[in-house]
Amino acid sequence: MTSSFIAIFSLLLLSTMQCHAQLSSTFYDRTCPNALTTIRTSIRQAISRERRMAASLIRLHFHDCFVQGCDASLLLDETPTIISEKTALPNLGSVRGFGIIEDAKSEVEKICPGVVSCADILAVAARDASSLVGGPSWTVKLGRRDSTTASHTLAETDLPGPFDPLSRLISGFANKGLSTRDMVALSGSHSIGQAQCFLFRDRIYSNGTDIDAGFASTRRRQCPQEDQNGNLAPLDLVTPNQLDNNYFKNLRQRKGLLQSDQVLLSGGSTDDIVLEYSNSPRAFASDFAAAMIKMGDISPLTGQNGIIRTVCGAIN
């Protein structure tokens, strides 16, 4: 009885270890050795055309991984059998860059048909986007496969929101296996990119003590109290196209654009981390890279699970 139990336990342990071992930085070394170079070329071209696209590509990977894991479910278009995550409130009208991922996938398909997953392309694109706008680089673990389903419902509930209090941000990331420090580091991606007026309107008209008056006044010029909901403002006014630690310096000056930004420095448990990152670009870069790797490990489909999609927006 005991020996059979040990045997079963050993098999389970081996199975678990194999599951984690299936993501590897060398996954395509034999099957598609030029995959990463091809993706990088495609991403570099896209960012050279529009620097803001770097923020969008990092966000795509993030919004994918937080719903069903890093399985490219976010990329699936609406069909009679799939309710797309693209139309969920946190994604609708704000998540972009789908065409860039499709272009990269198309280039990879030319050299290695049916080998490289859309989920892996998302992970590599996020890394390349970071490094191309001055942020850190890291070694991407590969071997994810693509889902055949999407979850509009989970996209509505699992993605963090711009009005979330600190406790909700911490618990939301913890639910995905990410620490409070990971959460603060990943929030630093708001060092690049832009936000729509309706997402920060309440904050800039609140006359609250947690927002710099001059900053609020500047932001009101492009964001009236009514209408023009889609008007854009940079999340970081100082270096809007550079992934750096200025985001954290802004928080010290009460110049976080979103409520969910400024709440990171509001007398709570994350204050010390924000102060550390604002003082040390190196600490932020190192922790951001580590957190992105960790995020890329969220519930991937590996082995025989999932598929390799030929086109990222549709099931084969």
PDB file of all heavy atoms in Angstrom, residues 91-125:
ATOM      1  N   ASN A  91     -10.943  45.810 -22.088  1.00  0.00           N
ATOM      2  CA  ASN A  91     -10.225  45.750 -23.366  1.00  0.00           C
ATOM      3  C   ASN A  91     -10.855  46.613 -24.455  1.00  0.00           C
ATOM      4  O   ASN A  91     -10.176  47.067 -25.377  1.00  0.00           O
ATOM      5  CB  ASN A  91     -10.176  44.302 -23.867  1.00  0.00           C
ATOM      6  CG  ASN A  91      -9.355  43.403 -22.966  1.00  0.00           C
ATOM      7  OD1 ASN A  91      -8.375  43.825 -22.377  1.00  0.00           O
ATOM      8  ND2 ASN A  91      -9.769  42.145 -22.843  1.00  0.00           N
ATOM      9  N   LEU A  92     -12.147  46.836 -24.352  1.00  0.00           N
ATOM     10  CA  LEU A  92     -12.904  47.476 -25.427  1.00  0.00           C
ATOM     11  C   LEU A  92     -12.406  48.897 -25.708  1.00  0.00           C
ATOM     12  O   LEU A  92     -12.374  49.739 -24.823  1.00  0.00           O
ATOM     13  CB  LEU A  92     -14.389  47.517 -25.053  1.00  0.00           C
ATOM     14  CG  LEU A  92     -15.364  47.971 -26.138  1.00  0.00           C
ATOM     15  CD1 LEU A  92     -15.346  47.008 -27.331  1.00  0.00           C
ATOM     16  CD2 LEU A  92     -16.778  48.071 -25.576  1.00  0.00           C
ATOM     17  N   GLY A  93     -11.991  49.121 -26.941  1.00  0.00           N
ATOM     18  CA  GLY A  93     -11.566  50.455 -27.339  1.00  0.00           C
ATOM     19  C   GLY A  93     -10.228  50.888 -26.768  1.00  0.00           C
ATOM     20  O   GLY A  93      -9.806  52.026 -26.975  1.00  0.00           O
ATOM     21  N   SER A  94      -9.559  49.995 -26.033  1.00  0.00           N
ATOM     22  CA  SER A  94      -8.284  50.403 -25.428  1.00  0.00           C
ATOM     23  C   SER A  94      -7.136  49.450 -25.747  1.00  0.00           C
ATOM     24  O   SER A  94      -6.001  49.881 -25.932  1.00  0.00           O
ATOM     25  CB  SER A  94      -8.433  50.541 -23.910  1.00  0.00           C
ATOM     26  OG  SER A  94      -8.730  49.308 -23.321  1.00  0.00           O
ATOM     27  N   VAL A  95      -7.401  48.153 -25.790  1.00  0.00           N
ATOM     28  CA  VAL A  95      -6.337  47.208 -26.136  1.00  0.00           C
ATOM     29  C   VAL A  95      -6.117  47.265 -27.648  1.00  0.00           C
ATOM     30  O   VAL A  95      -7.060  47.218 -28.420  1.00  0.00           O
ATOM     31  CB  VAL A  95      -6.704  45.782 -25.670  1.00  0.00           C
ATOM     32  CG1 VAL A  95      -5.742  44.764 -26.238  1.00  0.00           C
ATOM     33  CG2 VAL A  95      -6.671  45.719 -24.142  1.00  0.00           C
ATOM     34  N   ARG A  96      -4.880  47.369 -28.049  1.00  0.00           N
ATOM     35  CA  ARG A  96      -4.559  47.515 -29.470  1.00  0.00           C
ATOM     36  C   ARG A  96      -3.246  46.808 -29.785  1.00  0.00           C
ATOM     37  O   ARG A  96      -2.576  46.327 -28.889  1.00  0.00           O
ATOM     38  CB  ARG A  96      -4.473  49.007 -29.835  1.00  0.00           C
ATOM     39  CG  ARG A  96      -3.450  49.759 -29.004  1.00  0.00           C
ATOM     40  CD  ARG A  96      -3.646  51.274 -29.021  1.00  0.00           C
ATOM     41  NE  ARG A  96      -3.277  51.888 -30.274  1.00  0.00           N
ATOM     42  CZ  ARG A  96      -2.016  52.262 -30.585  1.00  0.00           C
ATOM     43  NH1 ARG A  96      -1.033  52.068 -29.741  1.00  0.00           N
ATOM     44  NH2 ARG A  96      -1.768  52.835 -31.749  1.00  0.00           N
ATOM     45  N   GLY A  97      -2.920  46.733 -31.078  1.00  0.00           N
ATOM     46  CA  GLY A  97      -1.680  46.081 -31.495  1.00  0.00           C
ATOM     47  C   GLY A  97      -1.890  44.684 -32.050  1.00  0.00           C
ATOM     48  O   GLY A  97      -0.932  43.971 -32.338  1.00  0.00           O
ATOM     49  N   PHE A  98      -3.170  44.301 -32.209  1.00  0.00           N
ATOM     50  CA  PHE A  98      -3.456  42.956 -32.722  1.00  0.00           C
ATOM     51  C   PHE A  98      -2.833  42.732 -34.103  1.00  0.00           C
ATOM     52  O   PHE A  98      -2.308  41.659 -34.393  1.00  0.00           O
ATOM     53  CB  PHE A  98      -4.975  42.731 -32.798  1.00  0.00           C
ATOM     54  CG  PHE A  98      -5.664  42.816 -31.459  1.00  0.00           C
ATOM     55  CD1 PHE A  98      -6.466  43.907 -31.137  1.00  0.00           C
ATOM     56  CD2 PHE A  98      -5.504  41.816 -30.518  1.00  0.00           C
ATOM     57  CE1 PHE A  98      -7.095  43.987 -29.906  1.00  0.00           C
ATOM     58  CE2 PHE A  98      -6.129  41.886 -29.276  1.00  0.00           C
ATOM     59  CZ  PHE A  98      -6.915  42.982 -28.971  1.00  0.00           C
ATOM     60  N   GLY A  99      -2.888  43.757 -34.942  1.00  0.00           N
ATOM     61  CA  GLY A  99      -2.335  43.646 -36.295  1.00  0.00           C
ATOM     62  C   GLY A  99      -0.829  43.444 -36.292  1.00  0.00           C
ATOM     63  O   GLY A  99      -0.279  42.754 -37.165  1.00  0.00           O
ATOM     64  N   ILE A 100      -0.163  44.036 -35.291  1.00  0.00           N
ATOM     65  CA  ILE A 100       1.295  43.883 -35.187  1.00  0.00           C
ATOM     66  C   ILE A 100       1.651  42.432 -34.866  1.00  0.00           C
ATOM     67  O   ILE A 100       2.586  41.864 -35.437  1.00  0.00           O
ATOM     68  CB  ILE A 100       1.853  44.813 -34.079  1.00  0.00           C
ATOM     69  CG1 ILE A 100       1.421  46.271 -34.306  1.00  0.00           C
ATOM     70  CG2 ILE A 100       3.368  44.691 -33.995  1.00  0.00           C
ATOM     71  CD1 ILE A 100       1.804  46.845 -35.640  1.00  0.00           C
ATOM     72  N   ILE A 101       0.894  41.836 -33.971  1.00  0.00           N
ATOM     73  CA  ILE A 101       1.132  40.419 -33.620  1.00  0.00           C
ATOM     74  C   ILE A 101       0.829  39.526 -34.820  1.00  0.00           C
ATOM     75  O   ILE A 101       1.578  38.579 -35.111  1.00  0.00           O
ATOM     76  CB  ILE A 101       0.277  40.001 -32.402  1.00  0.00           C
ATOM     77  CG1 ILE A 101       0.624  40.851 -31.174  1.00  0.00           C
ATOM     78  CG2 ILE A 101       0.464  38.510 -32.104  1.00  0.00           C
ATOM     79  CD1 ILE A 101       2.050  40.726 -30.686  1.00  0.00           C
ATOM     80  N   GLU A 102      -0.245  39.828 -35.539  1.00  0.00           N
ATOM     81  CA  GLU A 102      -0.578  39.047 -36.752  1.00  0.00           C
ATOM     82  C   GLU A 102       0.535  39.159 -37.790  1.00  0.00           C
ATOM     83  O   GLU A 102       0.887  38.174 -38.445  1.00  0.00           O
ATOM     84  CB  GLU A 102      -1.906  39.512 -37.354  1.00  0.00           C
ATOM     85  CG  GLU A 102      -3.146  39.097 -36.581  1.00  0.00           C
ATOM     86  CD  GLU A 102      -3.469  37.600 -36.642  1.00  0.00           C
ATOM     87  OE1 GLU A 102      -2.656  36.801 -37.166  1.00  0.00           O
ATOM     88  OE2 GLU A 102      -4.538  37.230 -36.135  1.00  0.00           O
ATOM     89  N   ASP A 103       1.098  40.363 -37.937  1.00  0.00           N
ATOM     90  CA  ASP A 103       2.191  40.555 -38.899  1.00  0.00           C
ATOM     91  C   ASP A 103       3.411  39.721 -38.507  1.00  0.00           C
ATOM     92  O   ASP A 103       4.038  39.079 -39.361  1.00  0.00           O
ATOM     93  CB  ASP A 103       2.591  42.037 -38.969  1.00  0.00           C
ATOM     94  CG  ASP A 103       1.528  42.895 -39.655  1.00  0.00           C
ATOM     95  OD1 ASP A 103       0.621  42.326 -40.293  1.00  0.00           O
ATOM     96  OD2 ASP A 103       1.605  44.136 -39.531  1.00  0.00           O
ATOM     97  N   ALA A 104       3.735  39.741 -37.216  1.00  0.00           N
ATOM     98  CA  ALA A 104       4.878  38.956 -36.740  1.00  0.00           C
ATOM     99  C   ALA A 104       4.623  37.465 -36.949  1.00  0.00           C
ATOM    100  O   ALA A 104       5.508  36.722 -37.395  1.00  0.00           O
ATOM    101  CB  ALA A 104       5.139  39.254 -35.264  1.00  0.00           C
ATOM    102  N   LYS A 105       3.401  37.038 -36.644  1.00  0.00           N
ATOM    103  CA  LYS A 105       3.033  35.630 -36.831  1.00  0.00           C
ATOM    104  C   LYS A 105       3.153  35.234 -38.306  1.00  0.00           C
ATOM    105  O   LYS A 105       3.675  34.161 -38.631  1.00  0.00           O
ATOM    106  CB  LYS A 105       1.598  35.418 -36.330  1.00  0.00           C
ATOM    107  CG  LYS A 105       0.988  34.050 -36.619  1.00  0.00           C
ATOM    108  CD  LYS A 105       1.699  32.923 -35.900  1.00  0.00           C
ATOM    109  CE  LYS A 105       0.892  31.621 -36.024  1.00  0.00           C
ATOM    110  NZ  LYS A 105       1.645  30.470 -35.505  1.00  0.00           N
ATOM    111  N   SER A 106       2.695  36.117 -39.174  1.00  0.00           N
ATOM    112  CA  SER A 106       2.748  35.845 -40.617  1.00  0.00           C
ATOM    113  C   SER A 106       4.191  35.658 -41.097  1.00  0.00           C
ATOM    114  O   SER A 106       4.487  34.758 -41.895  1.00  0.00           O
ATOM    115  CB  SER A 106       2.083  37.002 -41.378  1.00  0.00           C
ATOM    116  OG  SER A 106       2.220  36.841 -42.761  1.00  0.00           O
ATOM    117  N   GLU A 107       5.092  36.498 -40.587  1.00  0.00           N
ATOM    118  CA  GLU A 107       6.507  36.388 -40.970  1.00  0.00           C
ATOM    119  C   GLU A 107       7.112  35.076 -40.460  1.00  0.00           C
ATOM    120  O   GLU A 107       7.892  34.431 -41.153  1.00  0.00           O
ATOM    121  CB  GLU A 107       7.300  37.583 -40.417  1.00  0.00           C
ATOM    122  CG  GLU A 107       6.957  38.920 -41.066  1.00  0.00           C
ATOM    123  CD  GLU A 107       7.157  38.899 -42.574  1.00  0.00           C
ATOM    124  OE1 GLU A 107       8.238  38.476 -43.029  1.00  0.00           O
ATOM    125  OE2 GLU A 107       6.220  39.299 -43.304  1.00  0.00           O
ATOM    126  N   VAL A 108       6.738  34.691 -39.231  1.00  0.00           N
ATOM    127  CA  VAL A 108       7.254  33.445 -38.664  1.00  0.00           C
ATOM    128  C   VAL A 108       6.694  32.234 -39.417  1.00  0.00           C
ATOM    129  O   VAL A 108       7.406  31.249 -39.652  1.00  0.00           O
ATOM    130  CB  VAL A 108       6.933  33.358 -37.154  1.00  0.00           C
ATOM    131  CG1 VAL A 108       7.310  31.995 -36.598  1.00  0.00           C
ATOM    132  CG2 VAL A 108       7.668  34.447 -36.382  1.00  0.00           C
ATOM    133  N   GLU A 109       5.417  32.324 -39.798  1.00  0.00           N
ATOM    134  CA  GLU A 109       4.794  31.224 -40.551  1.00  0.00           C
ATOM    135  C   GLU A 109       5.516  30.980 -41.881  1.00  0.00           C
ATOM    136  O   GLU A 109       5.564  29.856 -42.365  1.00  0.00           O
ATOM    137  CB  GLU A 109       3.314  31.514 -40.808  1.00  0.00           C
ATOM    138  CG  GLU A 109       2.409  31.297 -39.605  1.00  0.00           C
ATOM    139  CD  GLU A 109       2.355  29.839 -39.164  1.00  0.00           C
ATOM    140  OE1 GLU A 109       1.981  28.978 -39.976  1.00  0.00           O
ATOM    141  OE2 GLU A 109       2.707  29.558 -38.002  1.00  0.00           O
ATOM    142  N   LYS A 110       6.082  32.021 -42.476  1.00  0.00           N
ATOM    143  CA  LYS A 110       6.794  31.881 -43.754  1.00  0.00           C
ATOM    144  C   LYS A 110       8.028  31.003 -43.606  1.00  0.00           C
ATOM    145  O   LYS A 110       8.397  30.272 -44.531  1.00  0.00           O
ATOM    146  CB  LYS A 110       7.213  33.260 -44.281  1.00  0.00           C
ATOM    147  CG  LYS A 110       6.069  34.123 -44.771  1.00  0.00           C
ATOM    148  CD  LYS A 110       6.586  35.496 -45.171  1.00  0.00           C
ATOM    149  CE  LYS A 110       5.427  36.444 -45.500  1.00  0.00           C
ATOM    150  NZ  LYS A 110       5.926  37.828 -45.756  1.00  0.00           N
ATOM    151  N   ILE A 111       8.669  31.091 -42.444  1.00  0.00           N
ATOM    152  CA  ILE A 111       9.920  30.326 -42.268  1.00  0.00           C
ATOM    153  C   ILE A 111       9.703  29.005 -41.529  1.00  0.00           C
ATOM    154  O   ILE A 111      10.449  28.049 -41.743  1.00  0.00           O
ATOM    155  CB  ILE A 111      11.012  31.165 -41.565  1.00  0.00           C
ATOM    156  CG1 ILE A 111      10.543  31.661 -40.189  1.00  0.00           C
ATOM    157  CG2 ILE A 111      11.432  32.341 -42.433  1.00  0.00           C
ATOM    158  CD1 ILE A 111      11.651  32.253 -39.335  1.00  0.00           C
ATOM    159  N   CYS A 112       8.685  28.958 -40.661  1.00  0.00           N
ATOM    160  CA  CYS A 112       8.423  27.737 -39.878  1.00  0.00           C
ATOM    161  C   CYS A 112       6.923  27.556 -39.715  1.00  0.00           C
ATOM    162  O   CYS A 112       6.367  27.868 -38.645  1.00  0.00           O
ATOM    163  CB  CYS A 112       9.042  27.819 -38.481  1.00  0.00           C
ATOM    164  SG  CYS A 112      10.743  28.353 -38.426  1.00  0.00           S
ATOM    165  N   PRO A 113       6.227  27.062 -40.727  1.00  0.00           N
ATOM    166  CA  PRO A 113       4.771  26.942 -40.635  1.00  0.00           C
ATOM    167  C   PRO A 113       4.323  26.024 -39.496  1.00  0.00           C
ATOM    168  O   PRO A 113       4.872  24.934 -39.323  1.00  0.00           O
ATOM    169  CB  PRO A 113       4.365  26.362 -41.994  1.00  0.00           C
ATOM    170  CG  PRO A 113       5.567  26.399 -42.858  1.00  0.00           C
ATOM    171  CD  PRO A 113       6.762  26.585 -41.998  1.00  0.00           C
ATOM    172  N   GLY A 114       3.364  26.499 -38.707  1.00  0.00           N
ATOM    173  CA  GLY A 114       2.735  25.669 -37.685  1.00  0.00           C
ATOM    174  C   GLY A 114       3.599  25.311 -36.494  1.00  0.00           C
ATOM    175  O   GLY A 114       3.318  24.336 -35.799  1.00  0.00           O
ATOM    176  N   VAL A 115       4.643  26.093 -36.235  1.00  0.00           N
ATOM    177  CA  VAL A 115       5.585  25.742 -35.164  1.00  0.00           C
ATOM    178  C   VAL A 115       5.482  26.690 -33.960  1.00  0.00           C
ATOM    179  O   VAL A 115       5.434  26.248 -32.817  1.00  0.00           O
ATOM    180  CB  VAL A 115       7.045  25.746 -35.695  1.00  0.00           C
ATOM    181  CG1 VAL A 115       8.041  25.549 -34.558  1.00  0.00           C
ATOM    182  CG2 VAL A 115       7.222  24.661 -36.752  1.00  0.00           C
ATOM    183  N   VAL A 116       5.464  27.986 -34.219  1.00  0.00           N
ATOM    184  CA  VAL A 116       5.541  28.984 -33.136  1.00  0.00           C
ATOM    185  C   VAL A 116       4.149  29.473 -32.773  1.00  0.00           C
ATOM    186  O   VAL A 116       3.387  29.906 -33.640  1.00  0.00           O
ATOM    187  CB  VAL A 116       6.437  30.171 -33.547  1.00  0.00           C
ATOM    188  CG1 VAL A 116       6.546  31.186 -32.413  1.00  0.00           C
ATOM    189  CG2 VAL A 116       7.833  29.678 -33.948  1.00  0.00           C
ATOM    190  N   SER A 117       3.827  29.433 -31.493  1.00  0.00           N
ATOM    191  CA  SER A 117       2.487  29.823 -31.039  1.00  0.00           C
ATOM    192  C   SER A 117       2.322  31.336 -30.974  1.00  0.00           C
ATOM    193  O   SER A 117       3.302  32.084 -30.825  1.00  0.00           O
ATOM    194  CB  SER A 117       2.215  29.237 -29.650  1.00  0.00           C
ATOM    195  OG  SER A 117       3.037  29.876 -28.679  1.00  0.00           O
ATOM    196  N   CYS A 118       1.088  31.775 -31.053  1.00  0.00           N
ATOM    197  CA  CYS A 118       0.756  33.197 -30.892  1.00  0.00           C
ATOM    198  C   CYS A 118       1.045  33.631 -29.457  1.00  0.00           C
ATOM    199  O   CYS A 118       1.455  34.770 -29.213  1.00  0.00           O
ATOM    200  CB  CYS A 118      -0.712  33.433 -31.228  1.00  0.00           C
ATOM    201  SG  CYS A 118      -1.121  33.032 -32.940  1.00  0.00           S
ATOM    202  N   ALA A 119       0.840  32.725 -28.496  1.00  0.00           N
ATOM    203  CA  ALA A 119       1.105  33.039 -27.089  1.00  0.00           C
ATOM    204  C   ALA A 119       2.583  33.353 -26.876  1.00  0.00           C
ATOM    205  O   ALA A 119       2.932  34.282 -26.135  1.00  0.00           O
ATOM    206  CB  ALA A 119       0.670  31.874 -26.204  1.00  0.00           C
ATOM    207  N   ASP A 120       3.454  32.598 -27.531  1.00  0.00           N
ATOM    208  CA  ASP A 120       4.890  32.864 -27.421  1.00  0.00           C
ATOM    209  C   ASP A 120       5.259  34.161 -28.133  1.00  0.00           C
ATOM    210  O   ASP A 120       6.129  34.905 -27.665  1.00  0.00           O
ATOM    211  CB  ASP A 120       5.697  31.700 -28.001  1.00  0.00           C
ATOM    212  CG  ASP A 120       5.901  30.573 -26.989  1.00  0.00           C
ATOM    213  OD1 ASP A 120       5.633  30.784 -25.793  1.00  0.00           O
ATOM    214  OD2 ASP A 120       6.321  29.474 -27.413  1.00  0.00           O
ATOM    215  N   ILE A 121       4.632  34.427 -29.252  1.00  0.00           N
ATOM    216  CA  ILE A 121       4.905  35.682 -29.962  1.00  0.00           C
ATOM    217  C   ILE A 121       4.526  36.876 -29.091  1.00  0.00           C
ATOM    218  O   ILE A 121       5.250  37.876 -29.028  1.00  0.00           O
ATOM    219  CB  ILE A 121       4.177  35.716 -31.328  1.00  0.00           C
ATOM    220  CG1 ILE A 121       4.814  34.695 -32.273  1.00  0.00           C
ATOM    221  CG2 ILE A 121       4.226  37.122 -31.949  1.00  0.00           C
ATOM    222  CD1 ILE A 121       4.108  34.514 -33.602  1.00  0.00           C
ATOM    223  N   LEU A 122       3.418  36.777 -28.377  1.00  0.00           N
ATOM    224  CA  LEU A 122       3.030  37.842 -27.443  1.00  0.00           C
ATOM    225  C   LEU A 122       4.106  38.055 -26.381  1.00  0.00           C
ATOM    226  O   LEU A 122       4.450  39.196 -26.046  1.00  0.00           O
ATOM    227  CB  LEU A 122       1.711  37.484 -26.751  1.00  0.00           C
ATOM    228  CG  LEU A 122       0.406  37.769 -27.498  1.00  0.00           C
ATOM    229  CD1 LEU A 122      -0.775  37.208 -26.708  1.00  0.00           C
ATOM    230  CD2 LEU A 122       0.223  39.271 -27.706  1.00  0.00           C
ATOM    231  N   ALA A 123       4.628  36.972 -25.836  1.00  0.00           N
ATOM    232  CA  ALA A 123       5.646  37.060 -24.777  1.00  0.00           C
ATOM    233  C   ALA A 123       6.941  37.673 -25.298  1.00  0.00           C
ATOM    234  O   ALA A 123       7.553  38.519 -24.635  1.00  0.00           O
ATOM    235  CB  ALA A 123       5.910  35.669 -24.191  1.00  0.00           C
ATOM    236  N   VAL A 124       7.345  37.263 -26.485  1.00  0.00           N
ATOM    237  CA  VAL A 124       8.576  37.792 -27.083  1.00  0.00           C
ATOM    238  C   VAL A 124       8.389  39.254 -27.483  1.00  0.00           C
ATOM    239  O   VAL A 124       9.281  40.097 -27.272  1.00  0.00           O
ATOM    240  CB  VAL A 124       8.994  36.943 -28.307  1.00  0.00           C
ATOM    241  CG1 VAL A 124      10.169  37.575 -29.036  1.00  0.00           C
ATOM    242  CG2 VAL A 124       9.329  35.519 -27.881  1.00  0.00           C
ATOM    243  N   ALA A 125       7.220  39.579 -28.030  1.00  0.00           N
ATOM    244  CA  ALA A 125       6.935  40.955 -28.450  1.00  0.00           C
ATOM    245  C   ALA A 125       6.988  41.910 -27.266  1.00  0.00           C
ATOM    246  O   ALA A 125       7.492  43.037 -27.379  1.00  0.00           O
ATOM    247  CB  ALA A 125       5.567  41.026 -29.120  1.00  0.00           C
TER     248      ALA A 125
END
